[in-house]
Amino acid sequence: MTDRPDLAAMIVPLSRALVDAELPVLREHDLSMWAYSVLLALDERPLRTQAALAESIGADKTRIIGVLDDLQRRGLIDRTPDPADRRARVLSLTAEGRRVRDSAQTGIRHKEERLLARLSVEDRRGFLRALRALAALPHEEITNA
């Protein structure tokens, strides 16, 4: 019955190693992992509230307030009043935030490409296709499977 290790037993060490590989790139850009996650999340579209952002990146909303303050102070994000609800803030990337995000992502992707180059072209395509499919599943579908 042990034709392969459990998925988590394979993915967790790989994930930790990938994070360790990303950290020097993020340090070069003066970004924490949470800050980078925020910049990636805001690329898709502006978000209406800090709570919505926190949920989208899997963070506690109180944890990211300091991250948002720092990103705004550095001119990487804007927090503007929501015209529909003046109590809420719309979060969006600035041009400088997009530049920093793109530069960090390019460095990270370069490291990923070196890792993926160890796979055949066919295995690489299959791995990325399967990873995208599994990553797109709702959390509940994975935990209740």
Side-chain angles (χ1 to χ4, degrees):
M1 182 106 178
T2 60
D3 62 333
R4 66 167 175 78
D6 295 344
L7 291 177
M10 292 187 287
I11 292 172
V12 169
L14 176 60
S15 177
R16 287 182 182 143
L18 289 170
V19 168
D20 288 347
E22 289 182 9
L23 289 176
V25 175
L26 296 179
R27 278 194 293 271
E28 288 173 19
H29 293 85
D30 195 24
L31 294 172
S32 67
M33 189 61 75
W34 285 117
Y36 182 60
S37 295
V38 167
L39 296 180
L40 289 174
L42 292 180
D43 180 51
E44 296 170 13
R45 68 193 181 306
L47 291 170
R48 185 164 170 235
T49 67
Q50 293 173 181
L53 172 66
E55 183 177 329
S56 76
I57 63 172
D60 181 88
K61 64 183 175 182
T62 59
R63 170 178 272 215
I64 65 164
I65 291 172
V67 172
L68 296 176
D69 290 344
D70 180 61
L71 291 172
Q72 184 176 21
R73 180 187 54 75
R74 293 173 52 199
L76 304 180
I77 67 167
D78 282 326
R79 290 191 272 191
T80 56
D82 184 340
D85 181 356
R86 303 296 283 173
R87 297 167 297 170
R89 297 282 181 249
V90 175
L91 306 169
S92 59
L93 272 182
T94 64
E96 179 64 6
R98 192 167 281 105
R99 186 197 67 73
V100 169
R101 190 264 341 268
D102 289 349
S103 180
Q105 191 169 47
T106 296
I108 288 168
R109 293 280 171 93
H110 179 72
K111 288 183 174 243
E112 291 173 349
E113 290 301 320
R114 288 197 323 235
L115 176 65
L116 291 170
R118 295 172 184 236
L119 301 175
S120 70
V121 172
E122 184 179 316
D123 285 349
R124 179 182 177 153
R125 282 189 192 123
F127 173 73
L128 292 173
R129 186 173 40 255
L131 194 57
R132 281 185 192 108
L134 293 174
L137 291 173
H139 184 266
E140 307 76 43
E141 251 185 76
I142 297 168
T143 58
N144 295 328

